[in-house]
């Protein structure tokens, strides 16, 4: 039998109507008010949604309206495609078509991009403020959520360069939320600061946990170290999710002043934290929980608790209670300290990619998901991540896939070969550099302009370096990790 | 796809090996030690378990050995029948045969009963201390728990008088545990005092939550108000499960002395708490959470939090986050304040009774379980229980079903008709009284002796009253609730 739960927001509004659900700038909403807003939005969406529509997309930044729309779509049982607001129209078009999205709701902040989408697409594309109420008596709202149903779809790239839609079911989010609560506990005064984008799993998971746990989200439109530090010093925040770049900026702005003792958990994801930063956190008594996770695991799946954080420096910790992680060397499970491929399993792991039989076939084996990342476990079972999959570049918390940029570079008529790799950067962790081979001397500026038209700005290479040839192995496969050596001549 | 999780105890021992798992008298065990004991027991059980055995029973009181055996059986993937140590050999025999149990492990404390079982049964019946180690290299231990698999079976009676085996899956226990944690939170210093029998769901659920949450159980062989009060005053206990009779005895022994502030949650089940007792708890700042639940819901499904406990006096609260409850009047859902039949739904609700198609057919409708209890919801959705199912008598936390006692009474050659009902009792809440009709004058002592041979002592009527006729309705159905009026002549 299918496992069902009550509709989450409805249930939470019933159980704790007067608790605070959402805080944004100087405004706040209780769960009962949030539920009312979600219903209002749902009734408006009904007026514009095509008949038998299954999937809607949102192109929205971190605002209360976005929260309402997400919950509004859930009230109607629509699957939601989370579009990254930083992408170009071309990148978005691929995801919208690939996901067979039939309705787009945006927040009015990206009018140029939306204009381009409207020129190409023949589906309703509506801004939040143009949603209007109407005859809503027939709106049928979900009483229950079936855990196997798809809740959200988020795109991620990989070795092929073609982004894939990761299916996240209600069950995936539920198990991620309960796995996390069993790890870090749940207190009456808990509240979660969300400065990461809601269109990423790091942000969405906070919104859903808020409803499941019955705790407030303090939402920020954009990360700002000054505001964050003020909040963490006030006692209003007990939990925060952050990436390395944010933590650096926070610490440098805050100096030696301590945070409020109520602040009990800084979940640090998006790549390992450098050791000096960890030591600084320890010195300042900041409770860092290092984590490892990805869109496919519906947020963190491995977490290191503060008591182990220096003893096991560099480790992401152990898999959360409902989840498993194994290291494989070929067909055999690796011995302690032996490096290998990271596989994960658990009810928080995606059932697969949307309409990608090939990728699903390649990524799943006996219920285990192949992350493509490399790592090892130590004798006590602590997990260490060595290399993110497919030479993934993590830049300020955003994932950048070299293959995607290489595909764009190769699209230029004069580029014969292209390779992209991440180069360490003080502010962003890493930034992408592009290496090209061409018969004639090309202008860096021209290539960059070509990229800017086709790629989100954070993906555009910081530098284009023209070289004689790219490092390849015997099978002529590009060796991206050797690319960085080619920068030597440049510096 | 079937949902699986890692083997719970193995996982917990991996995540928090050094945390305390179990405290009993002056001894304690960490999760790593508990896991080791469970493995040792599993390896011993392998030596006595029949080939292809699916189901084993335990006849054991609250001791550490019982905890090891429960976990040992889970390591082997055996379904566990939880036998009530207070039952007679006859009552046990029915459950053992009905459940097709192939192995019984007992704790040596009930040698007479065990002797009778051995005379009748042709299966291994072994005391814990006679379990011995052996060649265990081939013991195959469960790596994962499949949530749809049956974990435990507990017998409960009902209108028919024939006890039914309630199937409790790993998933039922999991969802019960997570539903509860979302209601009452989870803190680093949490520990749960278990003075209720492990062979009831109230006790077993504490053991399983300890493993899922990673918190210690303080186990007591028997409830004793003095020891309990000492523990609650020491700061060692944060959560306790109790029934009304226990709470009365605790308060009377403790007097005005306050409990330690760390004691944050007294889960009160087994029938509603009388208002004067609730007021006394409030006066003494005891954090009572009233609950409603049953074996079929794998522990509480409805809970009233302290902040509502006096505003909503007499209410059991609202259904936990993953669960639902509705009141039906015939085929229609009741209006607020309208009385009706209580139905529940949720992933913590049993998939059904073992081998009882008729009872399952009668009890389940569209995924909803008919509890047989009567109640209503108020305008805010708080649930009030009016009458426990089938005139259930709750006596000191034990469920007593009149039909079962009536069946025994009718088994006496001179008893023509029999009726049983619960009569209020200061110590036990209620106790059963038997009413009989016979052509000749019968001796009360003889009838009681007849009952003692066939019924657990707590089920034996406190009084047998011979009457001219029993109250019946037009359809000749016994009206048990009118029986109490027949006691008037006696007093």
């Amino acid at each position: 039998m299918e496992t069902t739960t009550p509709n989450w927001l409805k249930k939470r509004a019933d159980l704790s109507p007067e608790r605070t659900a959402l805080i944004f700038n100087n405004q706040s909403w209780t769960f009962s008010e949030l539920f009312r807003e979600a219903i209002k939005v749902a009734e408006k969406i009904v007026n514009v949604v095509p008949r038998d529509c299954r999937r809607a997309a949102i192109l929205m930044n971190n605002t209360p309206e976005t929260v309402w729309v997400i919950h509004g779509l859930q009230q109607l049982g629509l699957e939601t495609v989370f579009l990254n607001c930083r992408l170009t129209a071309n990148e978005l078009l691929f995801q919208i078509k690939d996901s067979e999205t039939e309705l787009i709701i945006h927040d009015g902040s990206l009018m140029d991009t939306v204009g381009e989408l409207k020129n190409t697409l023949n589906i309703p594309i509506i801004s939040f403020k143009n949603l209007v109420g109407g005859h809503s008596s027939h709106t049928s709202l979900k009483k229950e959520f079936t855990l196997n149903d798809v809740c959200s779809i988020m795109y991620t790239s990989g070795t092929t360069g073609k982004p894939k839609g990761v299916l996240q079911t209600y069950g995936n989010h539920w198990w991620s939320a309960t796995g996390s609560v069993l790890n870090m506990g749940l207190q009456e005064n808990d509240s979660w600061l969300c400065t990461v984008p809601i269109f990423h799993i790091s942000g969405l998971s906070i919104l859903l946990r808020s409803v499941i746990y019955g705790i407030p989200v303090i939402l920020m439109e954009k990360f700002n170290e000054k505001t964050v530090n003020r909040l963490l010093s006030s006692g209003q925040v007990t939990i925060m999710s952050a990436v390395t770049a944010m933590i650096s900026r926070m610490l440098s702005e805050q100096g030696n002043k301590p945070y409020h003792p109520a602040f009990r958990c800084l979940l640090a994801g998006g790549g390992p934290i450098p050791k000096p930063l960890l030591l600084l956190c320890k010195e300042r008594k900041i409770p860092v929980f290092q984590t490892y996770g990805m869109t496919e695991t519906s947020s963190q799946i491995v977490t290191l608790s503060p008591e182990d954080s220096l003893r096991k420096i560099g480790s992401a910790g152990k898999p959360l209670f409902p989840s498993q992680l194994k290291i494989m060397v070929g067909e055999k499970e690796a011995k302690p300290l032996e490096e290998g491929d990271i596989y994960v399993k658990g009810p928080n792991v995606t059932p697969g990619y949307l309409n990608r039989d090939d990728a699903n076939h390649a990524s799943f084996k006996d219920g285990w998901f192949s992350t493509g990342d490399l790592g090892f476990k130590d004798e006590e079972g602590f997990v260490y991540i060595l290399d993110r999959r497919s030479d993934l570049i993590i830049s300020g918390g955003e994932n950048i896939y070299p293959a995607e940029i290489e595909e764009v570079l190769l699209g230029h008529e004069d580029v014969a070969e292209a390779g992209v790799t991440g180069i360490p950067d003080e502010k962003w962790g890493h930034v992408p550099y592009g290496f090209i081979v061409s018969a004639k001397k090309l202008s860096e500026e021209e290539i960059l302009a070509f990229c800017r038209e086709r790629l989100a700005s954070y993906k555009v290479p910081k530098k284009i370096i023209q070289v004689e040839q790219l490092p390849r192995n015997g099978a002529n496969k590009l060796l991206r990790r050797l690319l960085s050596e080619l920068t030597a001549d440049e510096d």
Side-chain angles (χ1 to χ4, degrees), chain A:
Chain A
M1 208 179 62
E2 294 251 68
T3 303
T4 58
T5 63
N7 169 334
W8 298 345
L9 182 57
K10 185 172 190 293
K11 178 73 175 189
R12 178 51 68 195
D14 179 45
L15 284 179
S16 345
E18 298 310 320
R19 280 197 211 158
T20 304
L22 180 63
I23 299 172
F24 184 77
N25 294 333
N26 296 321
Q27 278 187 285
S28 76
W29 293 262
T30 63
F31 281 104
S32 146
E33 288 165 345
L34 177 56
F35 183 51
R36 251 193 320 267
E37 294 295 344
I39 300 273
K40 270 200 269 175
V41 169
E43 288 172 346
K44 291 175 183 172
I45 292 173
V46 167
N47 291 329
V48 292
V49 77
R51 182 185 286 267
D52 298 326
C53 174
R54 175 176 180 181
R55 213 166 278 147
I58 61 171
L59 182 64
M60 302 180 81
N61 286 292
N62 282 15
T63 67
E65 290 76 19
T66 307
V67 181
W68 305 341
V69 171
I70 290 169
H71 288 300
L73 291 168
Q74 290 188 7
Q75 301 311 308
L76 298 171
L78 287 164
E79 299 175 5
T80 306
V81 179
F82 285 77
L83 298 172
N84 183 331
C85 293
R86 295 174 186 156
L87 300 185
T88 63
N90 270 331
E91 291 169 312
L92 292 172
L93 276 171
F94 174 83
Q95 299 185 9
I96 294 164
K97 287 177 185 162
D98 184 72
S99 59
E100 298 162 352
T101 286
E102 295 167 75
L103 167 70
I104 300 174
I105 300 172
H106 64 92
D107 61 10
S109 69
L110 297 157
M111 292 318 291
D112 288 355
T113 308
V114 167
E116 286 185 65
L117 296 182
K118 282 187 174 168
N119 285 342
T120 312
L121 295 167
N122 194 20
I123 57 171
I125 302 178
I126 295 167
S127 75
F128 178 82
K129 71 168 197 291
N130 285 338
L131 287 173
V132 285
H135 309 288
S136 55
S137 58
H138 297 300
T139 311
S140 123
L141 305 175
K142 295 291 274 188
K143 285 192 176 158
E144 296 179 348
F145 290 166
T146 298
L147 295 194
N148 282 338
D149 281 356
V150 170
C151 170
S152 47
I153 298 170
M154 291 182 177
Y155 275 78
T156 170
S157 295
T159 38
T160 66
K162 282 237 186 269
K164 302 185 288 286
V166 179
L167 302 172
Q168 296 163 336
T169 64
Y170 284 93
N172 290 154
H173 291 302
W174 177 273
W175 283 91
S176 169
T178 47
S180 180
V181 91
L182 292 176
N183 178 54
M184 64 181 196
L186 178 61
Q187 301 184 356
E188 242 176 280
N189 69 335
D190 273 336
S191 73
W192 205 312
L193 178 59
C194 178
T195 70
V196 288
I198 297 178
F199 55 71
H200 283 333
I201 185 60
S202 51
L204 177 62
S205 63
I206 298 174
L207 291 192
L208 298 179
R209 287 171 189 190
S210 149
V211 173
I212 293 171
Y213 301 165
I215 62 170
V217 172
I218 300 176
L219 184 67
M220 282 176 64
E221 205 156 358
K222 275 202 166 61
F223 172 82
N224 172 295
E225 56 268 42
K226 231 177 154 139
T227 315
V228 167
N229 283 338
R230 187 176 50 73
L231 285 166
L232 297 184
S233 305
S234 74
Q236 255 192 292
V237 172
T238 66
I239 307 168
M240 178 189 178
S241 308
V243 299
T244 301
M246 293 178 183
I247 301 176
S248 295
R249 284 161 63 184
M250 284 156 54
L251 292 193
S252 124
E253 203 273 340
Q254 179 78 359
N256 277 320
K257 293 186 292 288
Y259 288 129
H260 194 282
F263 176 46
R264 66 182 187 87
C265 178
L266 178 60
L267 282 169
I273 313 182
K275 190 168 169 173
L277 192 54
L278 272 180
L279 290 168
L280 194 57
C281 285
K282 193 202 172 185
E283 198 184 302
R284 301 204 183 156
K285 298 198 171 59
I286 296 168
V288 180
F289 289 62
Q290 293 176 75
T291 70
Y292 166 65
M294 60 208 81
T295 310
E296 287 89 338
T297 59
S298 319
S299 172
Q300 88 265 28
I301 187 166
V302 179
T303 303
L304 184 68
S305 45
E307 67 255 41
D308 295 316
S309 117
L310 282 164
R311 189 171 74 90
K312 295 292 178 182
I313 206 152
S315 168
K318 289 189 174 186
L320 296 181
F321 199 94
S323 305
Q324 301 175 71
L325 183 147
K326 66 179 181 184
I327 310 286
M328 297 298 289
V329 178
E331 297 290 304
K332 274 181 57 182
E333 205 165 333
K335 291 187 284 286
L337 303 179
E338 192 182 4
E339 299 176 16
D341 299 309
I342 298 177
Y343 284 74
V344 293
K345 183 177 180 180
N348 58 320
V349 175
T350 177
Y353 301 107
L354 179 65
N355 299 328
R356 290 295 166 84
D357 286 347
D358 50 342
N360 289 331
H361 190 76
S363 300
F364 290 90
K365 205 172 174 184
D366 304 327
W368 289 84
F369 170 69
S370 164
T371 64
D373 295 338
L374 295 177
F376 66 90
K377 288 189 193 181
D378 69 11
E379 293 88 347
E380 292 179 74
F382 286 85
V383 178
Y384 292 75
I385 312 300
L386 291 171
D387 242 332
R388 293 305 298 253
R389 60 186 140 173
S390 340
D391 310 296
L392 176 66
I393 305 166
I394 304 179
S395 185
E398 288 283 355
N399 288 353
I400 303 177
Y401 294 88
E404 192 182 353
I405 305 175
E406 288 160 8
E407 200 175 78
V408 167
L409 290 170
L410 288 168
H412 189 283
E413 56 176 359
D414 291 324
V415 173
E417 295 177 42
V420 170
T421 194
I423 301 293
D425 179 271
E426 204 168 307
K427 179 162 182 194
W428 301 109
H430 285 83
V431 291
Y433 272 36
F435 299 84
I436 54 174
V437 175
S438 175
K440 55 178 179 177
K441 174 75 191 145
L442 299 179
S443 129
E444 180 176 15
E445 195 32 58
E446 184 202 325
I447 300 294
L448 288 177
F450 183 82
C451 289
R452 272 185 218 109
E453 275 170 42
R454 290 160 179 84
L455 288 168
S457 61
Y458 67 88
K459 297 181 192 169
V460 173
K462 287 299 151 289
K463 217 179 174 93
I464 297 290
I465 299 171
Q466 188 165 352
V467 293
E468 288 294 311
Q469 57 176 26
L470 296 176
R472 296 186 181 275
N473 68 9
N476 211 31
K477 197 174 171 320
L478 178 64
L479 297 172
R480 291 200 187 92
R481 63 191 152 80
L482 298 184
L483 285 172
S484 57
E485 295 173 12
L486 301 178
T487 62
D489 309 336
E490 297 287 316
D491 299 332

